[in-house]
Amino acid sequence: VEAAAGEPLAHHVAQRPFIIHLEDPPDAGASCRHATIAVPVGDPGRLEGMRAAIETMRGAVAQADPDAMLAANTDFHIALVSLPGNRRLNDAYASLSMQLTVCMAMNLKFREQLHHDPRDAVRRHEALLGLIEAGDLDAVLVELRNHGDRSFMDRLDELIDPPVPAH
């Protein structure tokens, strides 16, 4: 697989780790601030994009369609980032969406291979939506920190340069 610039994908991602920190920087400050102003959600209609994305994810699992799963995953995250109604945040996310989608694709595939469970993504997103619907900000923040979006990046060095078995 190659990135848009024709570089090998792992190299492309490894050179751009800042993308991963858009939603959850090391101190989690930005995510916490945006979650704090988004949860509890005042207008339940704002959650429709997340609900629709989860329905599409369920269908993608049933059809074993990784492209539909990726599209639904992307839609879910766009809807999540949109919850606070912050145009600047939405614009920043949109400007990086292609790179984020590449990362999401690798992470979804990696997690499915790691856990051997095609419903993993559905369950993680259902859990997050349930906590947002409940208005439990503390639980939402914990779920965001443990969402699994870094599974691929956490093991990137090992995947790029696997350890050589000792003889």
Side-chain angles (χ1 to χ4, degrees):
V1 178
E2 292 188 355
E7 301 172 74
L9 191 54
H11 176 74
H12 178 74
V13 173
Q15 298 302 313
R16 292 163 180 82
F18 70 92
I19 296 169
I20 301 303
H21 298 293
L22 175 66
E23 290 182 62
D24 190 14
D27 68 353
S31 279
C32 293
R33 282 189 299 278
H34 292 295
T36 300
I37 61 175
V39 176
V41 176
D43 175 7
R46 295 185 72 124
L47 299 172
E48 287 308 312
M50 295 170 72
R51 290 184 186 118
I54 289 173
E55 279 304 311
T56 304
M57 285 180 190
R58 290 180 185 129
V61 169
Q63 298 297 317
D65 185 345
D67 293 332
M69 176 60 80
L70 177 59
N73 188 67
T74 300
D75 290 347
F76 181 93
H77 287 250
I78 289 169
L80 175 63
V81 169
S82 297
L83 282 180
N86 182 316
R87 194 186 91 233
R88 290 178 67 194
L89 176 62
N90 294 347
D91 291 347
Y93 194 84
S95 73
L96 294 172
S97 66
M98 181 58 82
Q99 292 172 327
L100 290 168
T101 299
V102 169
C103 293
M104 285 181 200
M106 291 184 304
N107 200 61
L108 286 169
K109 178 126 181 102
F110 177 75
R111 287 186 63 85
E112 187 173 336
Q113 290 173 345
L114 183 67
H115 298 292
H116 306 289
D117 181 6
R119 286 199 37 83
D120 171 66
V122 176
R123 277 194 296 277
R124 290 184 298 115
H125 292 87
E126 287 172 335
L128 181 55
L129 176 58
L131 295 171
I132 292 169
E133 288 173 328
D136 187 342
L137 177 60
D138 292 334
V140 167
L141 294 174
V142 169
E143 187 68 22
L144 284 171
R145 285 187 195 102
N146 298 310
H147 185 60
D149 56 326
R150 285 185 175 68
S151 299
F152 178 81
M153 290 303 292
D154 287 345
R155 299 195 47 199
L156 184 60
D157 289 337
E158 177 184 330
L159 295 169
I160 291 173
D161 189 20
V164 177
H167 295 282

